[in-house]
Amino acid sequence: MDNKLHYAHTFFCSHLAAVGRASEVQAADKRWQAEKPLTREAYERLSSIYYESFIDSLMQVDGQTSGAVYADTAHLTLETDRLCTLRHPKLPAAEYAFRLCRFHLFFFPYDICLFAMEIAEEPETTLDTLIAAHGILRETSCYEIAEQGILKSQIDAPEYLALLEEILRLCPPRPSAESPRQGRFSGLTLTGNKLKCFQIFILDDFSDELLFELGTLSPVGCVADHKHEYSPSQEYYDRIIRTHTISAFRNWKALALVDSFTVVAKGRTAAQMWV
């Protein structure tokens, strides 16, 4: 099977261990833009699908005053469009290049703050390099380690880490969430131990085996190679594919797991996908 990569777009997401509000972020850095309120027409259309209280908890509506509990609900976006490189011993290539498109901050009631960053893959990236890089980037607790009380970086990605530090300066972690063992970037994951991963891939072709490998960040080919150390048991593989995949058309399929959601599709460009 030709698994040439034509398009890949990834969201790394987490529950940010932050304090503060959207208004404070915008006051500190004017580059952050708030999402425009929903029009009444859009609100009424969504209300025919979802409960109004659910919509109110997620976004502002034009001409409508939110209840006190939802007053601070907001979605901020920062356009970055920064080419970054990652160098790490676990990478099969010398380096991994990716474009960090933008950051998102979602503010909800009760001091809940969600964080997401969008990454566009470079077309020449191989799937094995991409999978390894995603695994490295997700493990924020492994970005640094403490040696004799001194934090030392474990990944070589200066442009990427500098952007993350900007986010954490604007949204400082709660004191209780800071851990000397985890280092400066521990505030990126208040719940769980890694970033959630939402991935879209467009390929010449795909299979259930490849979808499993991409969704679990396993080496390409490990499902069929039963001698590979990461080759899943047949029972486990069959259960995951049977109970966790979504498919409506022949040209795409998705795999939903606890900390990743992966879509694979046949085609050449993102314009050919409806998701």
Side-chain angles (χ1 to χ4, degrees):
M1 182 186 70
D2 182 4
N3 58 7
K4 178 176 172 55
L5 181 68
H6 294 289
Y7 171 87
H9 204 84
T10 303
F11 289 79
F12 287 111
C13 314
S14 70
H15 182 184
L16 197 64
V19 293
R21 299 178 178 180
S23 57
E24 296 170 347
V25 171
Q26 287 187 288
D29 189 336
K30 303 297 184 184
R31 296 175 300 166
W32 287 89
Q33 298 296 313
E35 182 180 39
K36 293 182 179 179
L38 277 178
T39 63
R40 289 301 308 179
E41 180 182 4
Y43 180 73
E44 290 171 4
R45 185 173 62 253
L46 287 174
S47 297
S48 67
I49 305 172
Y50 305 102
Y51 288 114
E52 291 183 359
S53 58
F54 175 70
I55 303 171
D56 294 341
S57 70
L58 296 176
M59 52 193 71
Q60 303 292 326
V61 181
D62 191 27
Q64 179 172 305
T65 302
S66 300
V69 71
Y70 300 131
D72 293 322
T73 297
H75 170 203
L76 302 183
T77 303
L78 173 65
E79 299 289 337
T80 50
D81 193 28
R82 185 81 59 86
L83 184 64
C84 303
T85 55
L86 168 67
R87 300 174 185 85
H88 195 278
K90 291 183 178 180
L91 289 175
E95 65 180 29
Y96 162 69
F98 60 99
R99 187 165 295 279
L100 209 167
C101 306
R102 59 191 61 84
F103 286 107
H104 300 267
L105 289 173
F106 301 88
F107 293 87
F108 296 103
Y110 310 110
D111 292 325
I112 297 173
C113 181
L114 303 184
F115 157 82
M117 56 182 171
E118 286 186 58
I119 286 177
E121 317 290 349
E122 294 297 291
E124 64 273 10
T125 306
T126 66
L127 289 177
D128 276 324
T129 297
L130 183 149
I131 289 170
H134 283 191
I136 295 165
L137 293 176
R138 291 180 68 193
E139 298 281 352
T140 57
S141 61
C142 297
Y143 285 5
E144 297 175 318
I145 62 170
E147 293 182 358
Q148 297 180 345
I150 300 174
L151 288 171
K152 293 187 177 181
S153 178
Q154 294 298 291
I155 65 172
D156 182 3
E159 306 93 349
Y160 168 71
L161 295 180
L163 287 169
L164 287 186
E165 287 184 313
E166 284 188 34
I167 301 296
L168 292 173
R169 279 196 295 269
L170 285 171
C171 301
R174 300 168 187 162
S176 60
E178 292 179 321
S179 168
R181 181 183 63 83
Q182 292 180 325
R184 292 171 295 167
F185 303 101
S186 61
L188 291 172
T189 48
L190 177 61
T191 52
N193 60 358
K194 59 174 69 69
L195 302 175
K196 308 295 184 183
C197 189
F198 295 80
Q199 317 169 99
I200 299 174
F201 302 101
I202 298 181
L203 308 151
D204 284 333
D205 203 355
F206 65 84
S207 65
D208 285 346
E209 290 85 357
L210 181 59
L211 176 58
F212 179 93
E213 290 158 355
L214 291 169
T216 58
L217 300 184
S218 302
V220 173
C222 73
V223 172
D225 182 3
H226 296 171
K227 294 182 179 180
H228 198 288
E229 62 178 324
Y230 292 116
S231 184
S233 70
Q234 193 64 48
E235 180 183 4
Y236 177 73
Y237 168 79
D238 289 343
R239 178 163 57 85
I240 291 295
I241 294 300
R242 183 178 66 255
T243 61
H244 292 271
T245 55
I246 304 167
S247 181
F249 300 96
R250 293 182 181 273
N251 65 337
W252 69 269
K253 197 166 187 175
L255 176 64
L257 300 175
V258 171
D259 54 9
S260 71
F261 185 84
T262 304
V263 179
V264 291
K266 297 178 184 179
R268 295 281 177 172
T269 66
Q272 296 173 279
M273 291 191 67
W274 64 269
V275 292

